[in-house]
Amino acid sequence: MNLEKYKVLFVDEATDHLVEMSRALAILEGNASSEDAAEAIDTLFRMAHSIKGMAASLDYDSISALSHQLEDWLEPARELGRVPADGLRLLFGSVRALEEMVTAVEESGESPAPREDLAYWLSQPIQFGRNEITEAATQMSASEPSAPPLPPSVRVRTTVIDRFLASVGEMLQRQARLEAIHKDAPVWERHREFDEELEGMTRVVRDLRRRALEIRTTPVQRVLERLPRVASELAHELGKSVRVELRGEEVEVDRAVLDHLGEPLLHLVRNSMDHGIEAPETRISAGKDAVGTIRISAATVSGRLELSLDDDGGGVDIERLREQAIESGRLPAEVAEDLPPDRICELIFEPGLSTRDEVTTVSGRGVGLDAVKRTIEGLGGTIRVSSNFGLGTRFDLELPSMAALQHVLILEVGSERIAIPLSRVEAVLGIDEGLVEQMGTEAFFVWKEEPLPLLDLGERVGLSKAVTDKLGCVVVVEVRGFQFGLHVDRAAAHLEVFVRDVPSALASIDPLAGVAVLPDGTPVFVLEVAALVEDFL
């Protein structure tokens, strides 16, 4: 019997249950009322019971065993209506272990190795006042949490499916009507009727496209609701206290976007916990609440997903970061001294730059944030940072809410056409609207009295070089706060297109972000601008 489809269902259902468990843990971690605490414990028990049954039916014995042990451990807690603080740490470790085991099933299809360490502690009865579990929980939280993938299938509301099928039905009816009209008489004799049917079919196709896009969307809650639990685990590891506030979890975005957001958001939370939120005694001495706050908000604005993560921690030491940039040779002293604070703050996205003097097991701001930025830019998005030293730091992310549907600028280089995301484009200028300056092998384009590096797009992607310097046009693009000029023959059109994945044979070529088909049927590559100018950043 082929168990692949059952594995998919198991991962999907188990992930949903683990999300519920994460939400319940966040309630227990806060100052929950006795009623809310009891309900949260009951949720943990029920979800563990459900995972146990599903895992047992598919012979995922290690998952079934751990779920069963967790279920047994929770039984007296249900009667008490509470768990001790030490026990809460054990619950965090157990849920994280189950997430890792479910991920292992998704990747290999095999039952993962059992967790004997957790089995030992879960076999111990709940005793208030004991502290041995604290040591075990500390050991369990020493490993770096990862962002579990979203379930491989998408749950769709039946009303969405009904509307989708209704649109398909109407489109088929109109197609049949057009065929009947065509067979019944020459088109020119019934052109008005034909035009009406064609207009109606066009409307239905547009509606069908919108319905199809609705099916792809998933609430951003699926990646946000794990973060409070991760922050709580890190707080205990670091000897800190934190509350995480989520807003806009109901916002729906393309599943393809969410699939890549888990790790960047996880790293930003880890960053805030390690370098942002201070220890309770430090916060109290600074006149702050002993418990730090991380706020994560989501919204859609003009078809774009806007995410923000801000903390009320210590903020970024701009002057220390400026010194680090000079000491590391990243910036000449005269350049670094003239840069405003906001530009200096952006340097935390550069690999290896950090205001920390010591390395921790969690993170240091500047370590790994370059990967976060690359991921966001690879999705056609942007990330910005702002900080007030002593008051906190804020990250603002903007991404397409629908990865499959993008606004692009079609560019011509020689006889070829290529596309870049319109969100990257600052301006399109005639080559005669600025001044081209040559310095050795490098060219610069003066725009708004600022010299911008001028790159020949044809050379960058292995096509023929663009036309002579006095012809063609310059597309001004922005990447990571820096502007560049791309020299092309012509900016042909601005279109909204469906972007498909790059063929597997070409997937290793960095600048290629997707493939789109133009209205005339011609396929064009969509380029990731950041990859084009990576060596300049």
Side-chain angles (χ1 to χ4, degrees):
M1 180 174 61
N2 182 8
L3 295 179
E4 180 62 26
K5 66 177 181 180
Y6 298 105
K7 182 197 80 172
V8 171
L9 289 173
F10 168 76
V11 172
D12 194 356
E13 293 285 343
T15 300
D16 283 343
H17 294 327
L18 288 166
V19 165
E20 292 293 326
M21 296 177 86
S22 292
R23 189 181 296 119
L25 286 174
I27 293 172
L28 290 176
E29 180 74 5
N31 296 319
S33 65
S34 57
E35 183 178 346
D36 289 342
E39 184 176 346
I41 294 171
D42 187 62
T43 296
L44 289 167
F45 181 88
R46 289 186 293 102
M47 297 301 103
H49 178 79
S50 297
I51 293 174
K52 178 191 71 174
M54 292 188 303
S57 67
L58 293 173
D59 294 330
Y60 298 141
D61 296 335
S62 58
I63 299 178
S64 178
L66 180 57
S67 302
H68 191 180
Q69 291 154 357
L70 179 58
E71 182 184 17
D72 287 346
W73 190 88
L74 283 166
E75 181 65 49
R78 293 177 77 197
E79 298 176 3
L80 294 169
R82 60 194 179 105
V83 294
D86 292 345
L88 190 58
R89 295 295 91 223
L90 182 58
L91 288 175
F92 274 108
S94 299
V95 172
R96 188 206 297 183
L98 285 172
E99 284 184 339
E100 293 169 352
M101 296 169 89
V102 170
T103 299
V105 167
E106 181 183 29
E107 294 173 350
S108 68
E110 304 293 332
S111 181
R115 290 294 301 267
E116 300 294 346
D117 54 338
L118 286 169
Y120 171 78
W121 291 108
L122 289 171
S123 67
Q124 308 298 317
I126 294 179
Q127 294 184 25
F128 288 86
R130 64 183 294 157
N131 56 20
E132 291 91 341
I133 296 179
T134 300
E135 180 180 353
T138 300
Q139 294 173 354
M140 287 185 293
S141 61
S143 62
E144 180 175 346
S146 59
L150 295 177
S153 59
V154 179
R155 294 195 170 191
V156 183
R157 295 185 301 274
T158 56
T159 53
V160 173
I161 296 177
D162 290 341
R163 290 197 299 266
F164 179 82
L165 293 177
S167 296
V168 172
E170 186 178 351
M171 184 179 70
L172 293 175
Q173 291 173 359
R174 289 188 177 276
Q175 181 183 16
R177 176 63 176 158
L178 286 173
E179 291 175 351
I181 292 173
H182 179 69
K183 291 178 181 178
D184 184 59
V187 174
W188 55 85
E189 293 183 8
R190 301 179 64 181
H191 62 88
R192 179 178 296 177
E193 188 177 354
F194 188 87
D195 287 345
E196 289 176 354
E197 289 296 329
L198 188 59
E199 182 180 348
M201 188 172 182
T202 300
R203 177 185 56 78
V204 172
V205 169
R206 289 199 189 103
D207 186 63
L208 186 62
R209 182 186 71 173
R210 189 174 74 254
R211 303 300 183 201
L213 294 178
E214 286 180 1
I215 291 177
R216 290 178 58 99
T217 61
T218 303
V220 72
Q221 177 182 20
R222 298 300 296 271
V223 295
L224 296 187
E225 56 196 354
R226 295 182 177 95
L227 301 178
R229 198 196 80 231
V230 170
S232 181
E233 288 186 82
L234 294 172
H236 283 273
E237 181 179 343
L238 297 168
K240 300 177 179 180
S241 297
V242 69
R243 70 175 64 90
V244 178
E245 300 175 359
L246 301 180
R247 299 171 184 169
E249 307 103 297
E250 72 284 352
V251 169
E252 295 194 349
V253 297
D254 193 333
R255 166 65 183 270
V257 175
L258 288 188
D259 279 341
H260 295 88
L261 272 183
E263 288 295 339
L265 289 175
L266 176 64
H267 191 86
L268 292 179
V269 168
R270 291 173 61 83
N271 232 349
S272 290
M273 286 305 308
D274 188 34
H275 191 80
I277 302 297
E278 313 97 324
E281 58 272 16
T282 303
R283 294 181 60 85
I284 291 173
S285 64
K288 297 181 178 181
D289 189 330
V291 180
T293 300
I294 297 176
R295 298 180 182 86
I296 306 173
S297 302
T300 51
V301 179
S302 300
R304 302 277 291 178
L305 171 64
E306 294 187 355
L307 282 169
S308 67
L309 183 149
D310 66 277
D311 63 60
D312 63 350
V316 176
D317 188 339
I318 298 296
E319 294 312 312
R320 177 59 179 150
L321 192 59
R322 194 189 305 268
E323 292 171 5
Q324 286 285 328
I326 296 172
E327 292 171 7
S328 65
R330 196 62 57 93
L331 289 177
E334 58 274 15
V335 174
E337 290 169 0
D338 290 339
L339 286 178
D342 59 333
R343 293 296 294 273
I344 292 293
C345 196
E346 291 285 335
L347 292 175
I348 67 173
F349 295 115
E350 294 298 316
L353 279 186
S354 175
T355 57
R356 301 197 70 131
D357 295 322
E358 74 280 353
V359 177
T360 74
T361 59
V362 179
S363 71
R365 208 181 290 278
V367 179
L369 285 176
D370 57 317
V372 171
K373 185 136 191 169
R374 282 197 303 270
T375 299
I376 298 303
E377 290 177 344
L379 292 169
T382 60
I383 180 170
R384 293 284 182 269
V385 60
S386 56
S387 183
N388 289 319
F389 189 53
L391 299 178
T393 302
R394 177 185 176 97
F395 291 91
D396 288 294
L397 293 72
E398 182 182 310
L399 303 110
S401 61
M402 190 59 63
L405 194 62
Q406 291 188 27
H407 291 272
V408 298
L409 183 64
I410 307 299
L411 305 175
E412 292 184 358
V413 178
S415 60
E416 300 292 335
R417 286 184 287 182
I418 51 182
I420 61 174
L422 194 66
S423 60
R424 293 285 186 204
V425 177
E426 296 288 308
V428 178
L429 308 168
I431 199 73
D432 57 348
E433 293 183 51
L435 176 64
V436 176
E437 297 181 353
Q438 197 76 30
M439 296 180 63
T441 59
E442 297 184 352
F444 294 87
F445 183 80
V446 180
W447 183 55
K448 294 184 177 179
E449 301 182 354
E450 289 283 337
L452 308 180
L454 182 60
L455 312 176
D456 190 286
L457 185 56
E459 288 185 337
R460 287 264 142 181
V461 296
L463 299 174
S464 59
K465 187 174 181 178
V467 290
T468 60
D469 292 342
K470 294 185 178 180
L471 299 173
C473 65
V474 174
V475 179
V476 180
V477 296
E478 186 274 333
V479 180
R480 303 187 193 176
F482 298 95
Q483 292 179 327
F484 299 83
L486 298 178
H487 188 191
V488 300
D489 290 335
R490 191 167 77 94
H494 156 220
L495 298 173
E496 185 181 47
V497 296
F498 279 100
V499 180
R500 298 171 173 83
D501 291 337
V502 176
S504 57
L506 303 175
S508 61
I509 302 177
D510 283 341
L512 302 185
V515 180
V517 178
L518 301 183
D520 63 3
T522 304
V524 297
F525 284 114
V526 180
L527 306 181
E528 172 46 53
V529 177
L532 287 173
V533 298
E534 185 67 36
D535 52 330
F536 279 80
L537 300 175

